[in-house]
Amino acid sequence: MAVVVIGSGPAGAAAATALCDAGLRVIVLDAGDTIEQGRMDLFEELARAEPRSWTPASVARARGDFPADVKHVPLKPAFGSLFPYVRDDPDLPIACEGADALSSLAYGGLSNAWGAAILPFRESDITSWPISIDELQPHYEAVQRFLPVAAEHDELNDSLPLYTSNPGTLKRSRQAQALLGHLRCHTQALRAAGFAFGASRLAVVSEPADRRHCRQCGLCLYGCPYGSIYNGAHTFDALRRAGRIDYRGGTYVDRLTETDGSVTIDFHARTRPTATGQLIASRVLVACGAISSTRLMLASLRCSRRVREMQDSQYFVIPMITRHAASVSVAGQGNTLAQLFVELEGQRVCAHSVHLQVYGYNDIMLAALAKRLPLSPARLERILSPLIGRLVIIQGFLHSADSPKLRLDYRPGQIRIVGEDEAIGAVHVKHLVRRLAAHSRLLGMAPVPRLVHLGRPGKSNHLGGALPMRSQPGEMDTDLLGRLPAWDRVHIVDAAVFPSVPGTTVTLSVMANAHRIATAAAQIER
């Protein structure tokens, strides 16, 4: 019998890699939704040439489907499509109340539309976990052997190690370089105030020898034509090409049943709900995402109704004005992903550290301004050049202990995600804005309080914890290998088992923990 992985997002990619490396036979069951036919034609055309050969009309078409706004953060399309997100899907009906939680049934999961930012967790941020950073360390290292990493050995290393010795590098914009230079002139004073900073760390291919390497084309937020930004599908594509896995897309898993020595998997075809089937596995690793994995396990337990608390990392956006203007333009914007990371460490505004990602000027900012002013983007850019050369955007996250909770209300055939008191995160963000303003001279930038945006619970997509790992699991808790008390051969390997969600980005730690569980499961299996 084979070991089965359910799901193709980053957690599934890390788990499948660990199982294959252990020499096991691996079957992957996945809903595997893909982008609508014809949507990729333009981006594939762009990928066949270098950016200098692109026509302005083609680039304008590629940028045409992002709904920019000054104070509202919209759902981010991927290649002009919302296919990564579950919306009105009969297989996974999700209703949100006071929440913006998302799930995915796409091949590659939500990594089709993420920002590629990666950081490990700190020991101080996972004190409620039954495992330590030392137990995750070898798996951070293992994951980064197949995950592309663009990063630098810099000031962040002391508190957030890289766990890789040979990262690639990406060119920063002049604006980001100037801001980083200012920060470095005030390193000691910033440290005393609790701030650490450094280059962003991104899961992006940067080495020119790789055909997928970043060309600094400026389309990062729309969809990279070259595939430079990591997607869980990239790992599964490689495993499939090498014949290391048996991938079965178009499959929706309904429930699991464990008997002595095996697990029965009931499923149906996505395109034909009446086309049902069963598969017998020796062991199953569930990597469907925090919401879907919880749904699958509650369905497998035959629950008629169950309410589970979920952890979320509060998301917010703070526009910042830098002390000095830099020369910026859409034509020269280059990489538009996060340029710098700033960490407010310790208990400065709340109980845990705060993670901040600094984005430089880009054409989406310009498009948002153009909606408010009756001018063309080109003219607006010329007129506002002194101002926009000083504008950067902070996208930040709080630890789940400092954020509103979510409730997952499960009934067969229906899931409601309910956001709790939003005031919890709002208070901390308000204190953070004041602290940024108080240290604006050292930071080289000051917040614009009236334009601060606070995401509703779930907006971060950094959520989990409905089935948390515990040293002594209760009825709906999991053990150190992601197993509920009633199960021995079914392991949940994604963020559904996180006891808390730190503010630093979650994907790298989701992958490391999935790799850890899969490695241990493989040892048991052998």
Side-chain angles (χ1 to χ4, degrees):
M1 286 187 289
V3 175
V4 169
V5 174
I6 305 174
S8 62
T17 298
L19 296 171
C20 289
D21 288 347
L24 299 181
R25 178 178 169 236
V26 179
I27 296 174
V28 177
L29 300 181
D30 186 34
D33 291 357
T34 54
I35 197 167
E36 301 90 342
Q37 188 172 2
R39 277 284 190 180
M40 288 299 297
D41 291 351
L42 171 61
F43 290 89
E44 289 170 356
E45 176 188 328
L46 294 175
R48 287 192 286 269
E50 293 300 311
R52 62 180 176 272
S53 302
W54 294 350
T55 66
S58 294
V59 175
R61 284 168 55 208
R63 290 174 173 161
D65 290 313
F66 199 110
D69 198 297
V70 172
K71 290 197 69 175
H72 174 67
V73 179
L75 198 59
K76 178 185 173 184
F79 305 102
S81 169
L82 297 179
F83 84 97
Y85 312 108
V86 170
R87 297 175 303 129
D88 301 320
D89 194 290
D91 275 338
L92 192 59
I94 299 175
C96 288
E97 298 177 15
D100 283 332
L102 294 168
S103 192
S104 180
L105 294 173
Y107 183 44
L110 291 175
S111 64
N112 283 283
W114 71 317
I118 53 172
L119 277 175
F121 291 160
R122 301 175 182 83
E123 187 71 52
S124 60
D125 283 336
I126 60 168
T127 53
S128 63
W129 289 40
I131 61 171
S132 67
I133 287 295
D134 288 343
E135 291 170 90
L136 285 174
Q137 177 178 341
H139 304 285
Y140 281 129
E141 294 168 353
V143 164
Q144 290 181 108
R145 285 195 282 272
F146 67 88
L147 183 75
V149 178
E152 297 178 23
H153 292 280
D154 59 16
E155 295 85 350
L156 284 178
N157 286 21
D158 290 343
S159 57
L160 294 163
L162 265 176
Y163 297 114
T164 182
S165 56
N166 296 303
T169 57
L170 286 173
K171 182 181 177 181
R172 275 187 292 275
S173 68
R174 292 180 184 176
Q175 192 182 30
Q177 190 61 37
L179 182 55
L180 181 58
H182 179 95
L183 293 169
R184 284 176 171 161
C185 287
H186 299 278
T187 300
Q188 295 305 318
L190 285 168
R191 284 180 178 170
F195 291 98
F197 61 87
S200 61
R201 300 180 188 175
L202 304 172
V204 173
V205 178
S206 59
E207 296 304 315
D210 192 314
R211 63 178 177 80
R212 293 192 293 117
H213 76 273
C214 174
R215 268 79 160 182
Q216 300 283 324
C217 72
L219 293 182
C220 314
L221 301 178
Y222 301 94
C224 177
Y226 303 103
S228 305
I229 300 170
Y230 176 76
N231 184 325
H234 295 165
T235 296
F236 283 100
D237 286 344
L239 293 173
R240 292 167 72 179
R241 284 194 299 269
R244 302 182 71 192
I245 61 171
D246 176 0
Y247 176 83
R248 304 181 188 181
T251 303
Y252 187 85
V253 176
D254 296 299
R255 67 185 58 82
L256 308 172
T257 306
E258 184 172 327
T259 55
D260 291 340
S262 67
V263 181
T264 300
I265 304 166
D266 288 286
F267 61 86
H268 69 263
R270 281 280 284 161
T271 55
R272 291 186 299 149
T274 58
T276 61
Q278 283 190 337
L279 178 67
I280 308 298
S282 62
R283 195 168 296 271
V284 172
L285 278 67
V286 179
C288 309
I291 295 173
S292 291
S293 289
T294 303
R295 189 285 310 170
L296 176 57
M297 298 314 300
L298 294 178
S300 299
L301 289 168
R302 294 344 194 243
C303 295
S304 58
R305 184 182 181 188
R306 186 71 66 139
V307 176
R308 299 297 299 159
E309 182 180 83
M310 296 191 76
Q311 308 293 324
D312 178 46
S313 172
Q314 174 70 65
Y315 168 85
F316 55 89
V317 175
I318 306 174
M320 306 286 289
I321 300 295
T322 61
R323 290 175 62 86
H324 305 288
S327 176
V328 297
S329 68
V330 169
Q333 64 187 342
N335 157 36
T336 54
L337 298 172
Q339 300 271 303
L340 307 174
F341 288 167
V342 178
E343 308 295 318
L344 181 54
E345 300 185 320
Q347 299 177 347
R348 306 288 176 155
V349 298
C350 47
H352 296 84
S353 300
V354 180
H355 171 63
L356 307 173
Q357 299 175 184
V358 181
Y359 292 76
Y361 170 73
N362 61 62
D363 61 289
I364 292 176
M365 293 182 193
L366 189 63
L369 290 171
K371 280 189 172 182
R372 294 294 183 95
L373 300 171
L375 297 171
S376 70
R379 189 176 180 192
L380 194 63
E381 187 173 62
R382 288 194 301 273
I383 294 172
L384 297 182
S385 180
L387 172 62
I388 59 181
R390 297 180 59 196
L391 177 64
V392 297
I393 300 294
I394 280 180
Q395 180 174 275
F397 303 89
L398 303 180
H399 191 285
S400 59
D402 304 314
S403 305
K405 306 300 181 190
L406 294 164
R407 284 187 290 114
L408 185 152
D409 187 343
Y410 166 84
R411 299 184 188 193
Q414 181 186 12
I415 296 171
R416 281 196 314 137
I417 306 294
V418 182
E420 299 289 343
D421 185 6
E422 295 184 38
I424 297 170
V427 168
H428 296 316
V429 173
K430 187 175 183 179
H431 290 165
L432 170 65
V433 171
R434 289 175 179 168
R435 191 167 188 86
L436 293 174
H439 293 88
S440 60
R441 183 185 66 82
L442 296 177
L443 291 165
M445 54 183 171
V448 185
R450 293 186 66 181
L451 293 181
V452 171
H453 170 78
L454 195 71
R456 294 203 299 178
K459 180 65 177 178
S460 68
N461 293 327
H462 299 176
L463 67 161
L467 305 169
M469 293 185 293
R470 306 291 187 200
S471 296
Q472 296 181 323
E475 179 190 5
M476 297 303 296
D477 300 330
T478 52
D479 67 7
L480 275 61
L481 297 184
R483 296 176 295 191
L484 288 163
W487 304 80
D488 180 58
R489 293 179 170 270
V490 175
H491 306 258
I492 307 159
V493 300
D494 54 39
V497 301
F498 280 14
S500 65
V501 181
T504 52
T505 62
V506 301
T507 301
L508 181 60
S509 295
V510 164
M511 296 179 77
N513 191 56
H515 192 278
R516 177 188 68 83
I517 293 174
T519 300
Q523 292 173 347
I524 297 171
E525 195 66 15
R526 288 183 300 182

